[in-house]
Amino acid sequence: MSEALDSLRQEVRDWLAIHAPKDWRGQSTSEAAFLELQRSWFATLAKAGYAVPHWPENWPGGGRSLAQQKVIYEEFARADTPRLLLSFMSTYHAASTLFEWGSEEQKQRYIPRILEGEIWCQGFSEPGAGSDLAALRTRAERKGDVYVVNGQKLWSTMGQFADQCLLLVRTSSEGVKQAGLTYLLLDLKAPGVTARPIHQIHGDEEFAEIFLDNVEIPVADRLGEEGQGWAVAQSTLSSERGLTLLELSARMRGALWRIGDLIRANGRGEDAGVLRDFGRLASKVDATCAVADQFLANRIAGEERVGDASIVKLAYSRTLREFTSLGLRIGGLEAQYHAPITFGGGMETGNWMADFMNSYAWTIAGGSDEVQRNIIAERLLGMPREPKNWFVKEGAA
């Protein structure tokens, strides 16, 4: 197996030496350039069989083992290729959910279009339902062969560019909140749909809010049964758990040279304090990669526990903040100047102020650090659940 993985690694490395985009960071400073690069790079990977190694084996490049997927992601990180942000929701969340819950007609209709470049987004979170998805209020009322949907979705990654949306809606208010949810597939070009980008403080527009005004969705575009949306959504949310963080950790390790170059460029090579902090950071980055590797090893061995992915997520988000913070500090005043962001460049681009601000998003996205700690404490360590009504008003009995 080791020889086979080494052979695959060399194969991917040789292919990337020829096909990896050159100087893409310098070119990806506008939305139009970002979209063009993302689409062309995905098409190149799909043709070569590297776009969807996690798909079943009857799809081009699919059927790869977890160990093989790890090799491919590590080589992409080593070559500093563009992250597939535009197609990420499509190839992971949408495809995995369709493979598990879709009818044969739905699979034949949607899966090939994803491989052809169709973009999907996720319509789960709402202004009053973020971490608690069961509190969502977007309403879907069935009228004959269609659902009529009204409501608003928030923080939909790449939603302004998407063609389709994985939509979680409420079809009933009876019983527990989770029991009233239904999962629909939404055509974002349907009448009554409005998608607006959310402008972030560092200049990116990675997310969108989606407004639904009497939008009609065919009942045929429902995944699972009515009221089964919570179970379908859990499949969506677990579709890429851990593997993405393994790739991101490898990318962070591969970007340590940016801080090393910054130390030399700013004449801090003899500064004992800076060298100490850099050494500590390098150790933490290596430790984060080791945690991600152990997570994958547990999954391959069938020993993954609920909460293991939370350990990786927590380790990565905290180390990323230290990585960008050190770069910002060593860079001095010049590093604090505003500069155009690199769209799709990840969280360690060398644009230190933008990277620093973006790193804080990772302590929230995909479940905040507090949520991850609760999962680890309750599901791994067996500690008692946090009381829901822990706050007692002053003077209360």
Side-chain angles (χ1 to χ4, degrees):
M1 186 62 182
S2 178
E3 291 181 1
L5 292 178
D6 288 343
S7 177
L8 174 63
R9 186 179 299 279
Q10 192 59 52
E11 170 197 314
V12 177
R13 189 170 296 184
D14 291 343
W15 184 87
L16 286 170
I18 299 172
H19 298 282
K22 304 297 190 295
D23 190 31
W24 64 271
R25 290 182 181 274
Q27 301 169 17
S28 191
T29 55
S30 71
E31 182 180 286
F34 164 71
L35 294 174
E36 180 181 355
L37 173 67
Q38 289 280 306
R39 291 191 173 106
S40 63
W41 181 230
F42 178 79
T44 299
L45 291 173
K47 183 178 180 180
Y50 294 130
V52 289
H54 56 291
W55 283 19
E57 61 182 357
N58 56 311
W59 295 95
R64 303 274 194 179
S65 69
L66 288 172
Q68 290 172 322
Q69 293 177 48
K70 177 177 182 287
V71 167
I72 292 172
Y73 295 142
E74 285 178 339
E75 289 306 307
F76 286 172
R78 188 195 65 82
D80 190 31
T81 59
R83 290 189 61 219
L84 291 175
L85 297 180
L86 192 62
S87 57
F88 180 80
M89 288 288 175
S90 311
T91 60
Y92 278 96
H93 296 69
S96 297
T97 309
L98 284 164
F99 282 133
E100 183 172 352
W101 290 92
S103 65
E104 285 305 312
E105 189 278 331
Q106 288 171 330
K107 293 176 185 177
Q108 293 175 15
R109 179 182 178 189
Y110 290 115
I111 298 294
R113 285 159 47 176
I114 291 175
L115 204 55
E116 292 168 2
E118 185 171 72
I119 304 304
W120 286 68
C121 67
Q122 186 171 295
F124 283 16
S125 297
E126 298 181 5
S131 298
D132 182 14
L133 283 179
L136 67 83
R137 302 172 66 180
T138 293
R139 186 79 184 180
E141 181 181 358
R142 182 166 180 174
K143 295 185 177 180
D145 293 333
V146 301
Y147 287 100
V148 179
V149 184
N150 288 277
Q152 177 188 356
K153 293 296 179 178
L154 195 62
W155 306 120
S156 179
T157 303
M158 300 291 160
Q160 66 271 42
F161 307 122
D163 305 298
Q164 302 285 336
C165 178
L166 304 170
L167 188 67
L168 198 58
V169 299
R170 180 164 300 284
T171 49
S172 173
S173 299
E174 301 295 327
V176 297
K177 294 184 294 184
Q178 291 88 341
L181 302 182
T182 298
Y183 201 112
L184 304 175
L185 307 177
L186 167 65
D187 181 354
L188 288 170
K189 299 181 181 63
V193 178
T194 303
R196 299 175 184 168
I198 299 173
H199 186 73
Q200 296 165 253
I201 190 172
H202 60 302
D204 202 353
E205 293 183 343
E206 182 182 355
F207 306 103
E209 53 184 344
I210 300 174
F211 299 89
L212 307 164
D213 184 13
N214 289 324
V215 178
E216 294 188 358
I217 302 177
V219 173
D221 282 337
R222 183 186 68 207
L223 287 186
E225 299 299 322
E226 187 170 300
Q228 206 173 14
W230 184 257
V232 183
Q234 298 313 301
S235 298
T236 302
L237 294 172
S238 65
S239 61
E240 48 76 42
R241 182 180 55 188
L243 290 175
T244 298
L245 291 169
L246 187 146
E247 178 190 357
L248 291 175
S249 299
R251 286 181 179 272
M252 183 163 55
R253 173 191 274 163
L256 278 170
W257 65 268
R258 294 186 185 279
I259 295 184
D261 280 1
L262 195 62
I263 291 172
R264 287 186 289 270
N266 287 20
R268 307 292 293 275
E270 303 298 325
D271 189 322
V274 167
L275 295 179
R276 176 201 62 209
D277 292 344
F278 181 57
R280 288 177 176 173
L281 173 65
S283 297
K284 288 188 177 181
V285 171
D286 274 347
T288 300
C289 291
V291 168
D293 285 345
Q294 184 60 54
F295 165 82
L296 186 64
N298 290 345
R299 177 177 284 191
I300 292 173
E303 298 174 355
E304 179 186 351
R305 303 163 298 176
V306 176
D308 280 349
S310 293
I311 295 177
V312 185
K313 168 67 165 60
L314 187 61
Y316 173 76
S317 62
R318 302 304 296 187
T319 304
L320 178 64
R321 278 175 53 171
E322 294 190 32
F323 182 102
T324 58
S325 178
L326 182 59
L328 185 65
R329 176 160 63 88
I330 297 173
L333 183 60
E334 184 178 350
Q336 299 182 41
Y337 294 157
H338 179 271
I341 67 167
T342 301
F343 291 91
M347 278 65 68
E348 56 287 314
T349 66
N351 185 348
W352 295 109
M353 179 54 76
D355 290 346
F356 175 73
M357 290 188 288
N358 205 18
S359 71
Y360 275 76
W362 264 95
T363 63
I364 302 173
S368 68
D369 285 1
E370 291 76 15
V371 169
Q372 306 305 329
R373 290 191 181 100
N374 277 344
I375 293 173
I376 294 168
E378 295 169 7
R379 306 302 293 273
L380 282 179
L381 302 180
M383 298 174 69
R385 293 179 63 87
E386 182 178 353
K388 291 185 177 180
N389 299 318
W390 58 270
F391 177 79
V392 179
K393 293 183 178 179
E394 184 177 354

